[in-house]
Amino acid sequence: MDNGEQLMNDTSKRKHTEETLSNPELFFRQVIENAGSVPFQIIFGRSIGTGYYKYIGTGIKDLLGVPPDEFTEKLFYSLVEVVNPLLPEIPIDPTECRRKIVEGEIPHYKADIRIRTTKGEAKWINESSLPIRDEKTGKIIGIQGILIDINERKRIEKEKEQNISLLRATLESTADGILVVDSSGKISDFNNQFAQMWRIPDAILAAHDDKQAIDFVLDQLKDPKGFTSKVEELYANPENESYDTLEFKDGRLFERFSHPQKISGKPVGRVWSFRDITERKRVEETLRKSEEKYRGLTENINLGIYRNTVGHEGKFIEANPAIIGMFGYKNKEEFLAINVSDLYQNPEDRNMFNDKMLKEGFVRGKELWLKKKDGSLFVGSVSVVAVRDKQGHVKYYDGIIDNITERKQTEEELSQKEQHQALVIKSMPMVFYTGRATAGLATTWISEKVEEITGFAPNEFTENITFWQTRL
């Protein structure tokens, strides 16, 4: 291209830009389209729903798969179902919305629209519309607005709803009472178990005022000053964690855990967890009183039973014959002379185990790799409870160990058999499937061989309940 041609091209582009800027309507259309939206204008016909598009943005082809010159109001309505964002189960009649605009009942409307493109693809768009008035008579003769692709937004919203639902279900399924308080002292969340455990009226919880809730529960506690002192200490030190036990005047006992709620590593509030341990304490007391009564049982049972001191190393205080033989020691004296940490394959596991016991007070069915006197290893299922004195200090741990090495080996063998069976099924020249009887045959699983035989992928059978009927 020579200099003359380049100059003419630049001049043409500049004139086009000047024309665009001098025409506000054209300018704003281009801005909207460049932002990925589709502007439109509809002029009504004799009746609503029979009008024509005076203008529709070129982006309509990408949005709905229809070129602008083929797009009609009738075609648009044949593709869409307008949905009320507040009541998704109740569709809105689009012609009714436009009638209300014409008759002045509403100044505009905005709706999320569920749509299927001409290719059958499901998609969400948002329509925002305003009336067009005749310049002379002021009569409403049409509408103008914008169509926006919100498919990704809807996907994210659905994902968030699922995550929130899962979190809420998790909160409500736990036996612990959960309370979340933000950094300003407002209650941001709690589960039903919390309200029931503390017997707090709905009106107080609805106020979302942590101080008001605290004031209500103080009269239930034996040591209200100690309770509030710990709360104030933690609110003054938002990074700190805490564990203590609360005694109630009616005899109940709660464990109280607290740790900071963080976003991007910064504390924004505090999570409180309350566990009713009244029954557990009663059981512990019963066990202590029955210790002698059941000593004969512990001496003969084929489970390792022991008592040991607190600490990262730990020392055995008591041990039954089963645990001594389980670890390969000759007698009780030899066994009591070792450290508890000597029995762990990894001594660091003992540190974590001890810390967990001090914090939570019990462990149930913890599987650990343990070491015998001769150095050989086995898998033990360990259940332990921390026994405390009247002041709440841990005196010792009482525990049971079951050697589950054979069981774990059996599980591994079963897993290998399962893998083997899967390979056998995959190699056989036939299709295996499972299903359930509904209005049609709902396939819940089908082997990969189906694609080789039929040409259809397994997921086509499992994701579409009518697939069998349409293909048989």
Side-chain angles (χ1 to χ4, degrees):
M1 181 183 296
D2 58 28
N3 292 337
E5 291 176 336
Q6 179 66 46
L7 180 61
M8 291 177 63
N9 190 35
D10 291 344
T11 301
S12 176
K13 288 181 178 179
R14 185 171 65 251
K15 285 184 176 179
H16 177 73
T17 301
E18 290 172 351
E19 290 172 359
T20 299
L21 292 174
S22 64
N23 186 334
E25 182 178 347
L26 180 60
F27 171 71
F28 284 114
R29 281 182 186 174
Q30 290 190 356
V31 170
I32 291 171
E33 293 199 41
N34 289 339
S37 302
V38 181
F40 68 89
Q41 289 181 331
I42 297 176
I43 302 302
F44 294 146
R46 292 182 178 179
S47 61
I48 298 172
T50 62
Y52 69 93
Y53 279 88
K54 180 181 179 182
Y55 176 80
I56 184 76
T58 57
I60 195 67
K61 184 172 183 180
D62 292 332
L63 190 63
L64 302 182
V66 184
D69 57 352
E70 298 178 15
F71 199 69
T72 65
E73 190 176 19
K74 183 178 181 181
L75 173 61
F76 179 68
Y77 287 133
S78 72
L79 297 175
V80 309
E81 173 192 1
V82 180
V83 176
N84 184 340
L86 298 178
L87 298 170
E89 70 279 7
I90 303 177
I92 301 174
D93 181 355
T95 57
E96 179 68 10
C97 290
R98 293 182 177 180
R99 181 194 65 77
K100 289 182 178 181
I101 286 183
V102 171
E103 296 181 4
E105 293 183 28
I106 56 176
H108 57 81
Y109 81 86
K110 183 175 184 179
D112 292 346
I113 299 173
R114 209 164 36 216
I115 193 165
R116 285 200 175 272
T117 67
T118 54
K119 295 181 179 179
E121 177 190 0
K123 184 176 285 189
W124 279 92
I125 63 176
N126 175 271
E127 177 183 349
S128 299
S129 298
L130 294 168
I132 300 175
R133 297 180 181 273
D134 184 281
E135 293 181 358
K136 295 180 179 179
T137 66
K139 180 182 178 181
I140 296 175
I141 59 173
I143 60 171
Q144 59 186 347
I146 301 172
L147 300 177
I148 302 174
D149 187 338
I150 60 169
N151 215 41
E152 180 63 13
R153 191 195 82 192
K154 284 290 185 180
R155 185 193 66 77
I156 293 173
E157 287 176 355
K158 184 177 181 180
E159 188 175 288
K160 286 182 177 180
E161 287 176 2
Q162 290 174 338
N163 289 339
I164 291 171
S165 175
L166 177 60
L167 289 172
R168 173 49 53 186
T170 301
L171 280 176
E172 296 299 344
S173 66
T174 180
D176 294 350
I178 306 296
L179 172 69
V180 184
V181 181
D182 66 22
S183 55
S184 67
K186 292 291 183 181
I187 296 175
S188 56
D189 204 356
F190 61 90
N191 64 355
N192 289 328
Q193 184 68 6
F194 168 78
Q196 293 171 11
M197 289 173 66
W198 285 97
R199 303 167 185 174
I200 303 175
D202 292 341
I204 292 179
L205 291 172
H208 296 281
D209 188 336
D210 185 44
K211 185 179 184 305
Q212 189 177 348
I214 290 174
D215 290 342
F216 176 83
V217 304
L218 288 180
D219 191 51
Q220 303 179 46
L221 300 166
K222 283 187 176 181
D223 183 17
K225 289 184 179 179
F227 178 86
T228 54
S229 176
K230 176 59 70 174
V231 171
E232 291 168 359
E233 174 192 333
L234 291 173
Y235 284 166
N237 299 276
E239 295 278 359
N240 289 1
E241 297 184 1
S242 173
Y243 163 80
D244 60 351
T245 302
L246 305 175
E247 293 187 66
F248 286 70
K249 293 177 181 179
D250 62 7
R252 288 179 297 155
L253 289 171
F254 286 1
E255 285 182 335
R256 175 173 62 174
F257 304 87
S258 182
H259 57 89
Q261 178 193 12
K262 294 184 177 182
I263 297 178
S264 301
K266 295 181 179 180
V268 295
R270 181 161 291 277
V271 179
W272 299 89
S273 174
F274 302 93
R275 181 173 300 163
D276 189 336
I277 60 170
T278 309
E279 181 61 18
R280 193 183 87 201
K281 287 295 184 179
R282 186 194 64 78
V283 171
E284 289 175 359
E285 184 64 23
T286 302
L287 287 173
R288 282 196 294 271
K289 291 178 180 180
S290 304
E291 183 178 354
E292 290 299 323
K293 180 178 178 180
Y294 293 101
R295 179 167 293 277
L297 175 63
T298 64
E299 293 294 323
N300 296 291
I301 196 170
N302 193 31
L303 292 172
I305 300 176
Y306 66 91
R307 173 174 291 170
N308 65 263
T309 61
V310 181
H312 288 160
E313 290 189 345
K315 298 292 292 186
F316 286 103
I317 303 171
E318 285 293 339
N320 73 340
I323 194 172
I324 295 169
M326 188 182 296
F327 283 94
Y329 286 86
K330 294 179 181 179
N331 51 53
K332 185 175 182 178
E333 290 72 21
E334 183 183 21
F335 187 76
L336 296 183
I338 66 173
N339 294 326
V340 177
S341 59
D342 294 338
L343 303 182
Y344 286 74
Q345 179 191 16
N346 181 6
E348 186 59 31
D349 288 345
R350 169 62 186 177
N351 296 339
M352 291 188 290
F353 189 89
N354 184 70
D355 292 342
K356 182 178 178 66
M357 286 296 300
L358 289 173
K359 182 178 180 181
E360 300 184 10
F362 68 95
V363 170
R364 296 284 185 268
K366 177 69 174 179
E367 294 183 5
L368 296 169
W369 278 101
L370 302 173
K371 183 171 59 176
K372 296 183 179 182
K373 179 182 177 181
D374 63 7
S376 60
L377 303 175
F378 71 93
V379 182
S381 176
V382 184
S383 297
V384 188
V385 62
V387 180
R388 301 176 185 269
D389 59 23
K390 292 182 178 180
Q391 288 72 41
H393 303 123
V394 178
K395 295 167 61 178
Y396 44 76
Y397 300 148
D398 283 345
I400 296 175
I401 299 178
D402 184 13
N403 187 337
I404 61 170
T405 306
E406 290 185 6
R407 190 189 82 194
K408 299 297 286 187
Q409 290 173 345
T410 301
E411 290 174 355
E412 178 63 26
E413 290 171 2
L414 288 174
S415 177
Q416 291 177 359
K417 286 182 181 179
E418 183 180 359
Q419 294 176 17
H420 174 71
Q421 290 173 354
L423 290 174
V424 170
I425 289 174
K426 188 175 181 180
S427 64
M428 294 182 72
M430 60 187 68
V431 176
F432 295 85
Y433 68 92
T434 59
R436 64 177 183 273
T438 58
L441 176 61
T443 305
T444 56
W445 172 85
I446 192 164
S447 60
E448 297 178 1
K449 198 72 176 180
V450 73
E451 185 165 7
E452 180 181 330
I453 294 175
T454 68
F456 297 108
N459 66 295
E460 295 186 75
F461 289 85
T462 57
E463 294 176 0
N464 186 351
I465 191 172
T466 63
F467 193 78
W468 285 98
Q469 293 92 321
T470 59
R471 295 297 185 273
L472 290 177

